[in-house]
Amino acid sequence: MDDPSSCTWTQDLFTSKAIDWLNQQTTNQPWFLYLAFTVPHAGGWKDIEESGAPVPTDLDYANKSWPIVEKDHAASITLQDKDISLILDVLKKKGFEDNTIVFFASDNGAHN
C-alpha cells in the first residue's frame, strides 16, 4: 500500500463505534463491551518482508533513524494508547469508572 493515510483504519472505526455504544449505556443495566484492536501487528505494506505495520502515520517517530518496522510499531502503540484513553475518558464521564473492570491484553509478540 503506497498511501496508508488514504485508507480507513479499523482501529478508528472500532474506537468510534465503541464510544458511540458506551454513550448509549446507562447505569441502570449491566453491560459488556469486548473491543479487539488489530494492532500492533507486523507487516502489511508492499511485498517487502517486515516492511512495517499498517498504520496511517508514523507520528513523531517518522524522523527517527529506526528501521521502518520499529517506527510503525511505536506509532501503532501510541495511536492505540490514545484511543484507549478516549474510551477510558468516556467511562469516567458517564460515571462508569468506579464500577467497571477493564482488561487489556495483546497477542502480538516479536517479529521473529
Side-chain angles (χ1 to χ4, degrees):
M1 173 159 316
D2 293 325
D3 184 13
S5 64
S6 68
C7 298
T8 301
W9 202 32
T10 58
Q11 181 167 322
D12 293 337
L13 292 174
F14 293 171
T15 300
S16 175
K17 294 293 185 183
I19 288 172
D20 289 347
W21 186 84
L22 283 169
N23 279 322
Q24 295 174 17
Q25 304 312 304
T26 68
T27 56
N28 300 336
Q29 192 80 324
W31 51 265
F32 177 82
L33 171 66
Y34 177 79
L35 176 59
F37 290 121
T38 59
V39 297
H41 196 71
W45 299 140
K46 304 191 181 188
D47 295 327
I48 303 167
E49 186 176 339
E50 300 300 339
S51 62
V55 292
T57 175
D58 280 333
L59 303 169
D60 295 336
Y61 308 103
N63 294 323
K64 300 282 186 190
S65 60
W66 307 345
I68 187 68
V69 69
E70 299 305 329
K71 292 179 195 182
D72 287 358
H73 189 79
S76 70
I77 291 171
T78 298
L79 290 165
Q80 185 178 56
D81 185 52
K82 174 193 67 76
D83 287 345
I84 291 168
S85 292
L86 292 172
I87 291 165
L88 293 176
D89 288 346
V90 172
L91 293 176
K92 186 174 186 174
K93 179 186 87 177
K94 296 281 293 181
F96 297 149
E97 181 181 44
D98 292 334
N99 198 23
T100 301
I101 299 173
V102 175
F103 292 95
F104 181 84
S106 175
D107 69 347
N108 284 298
H111 300 288
N112 294 323

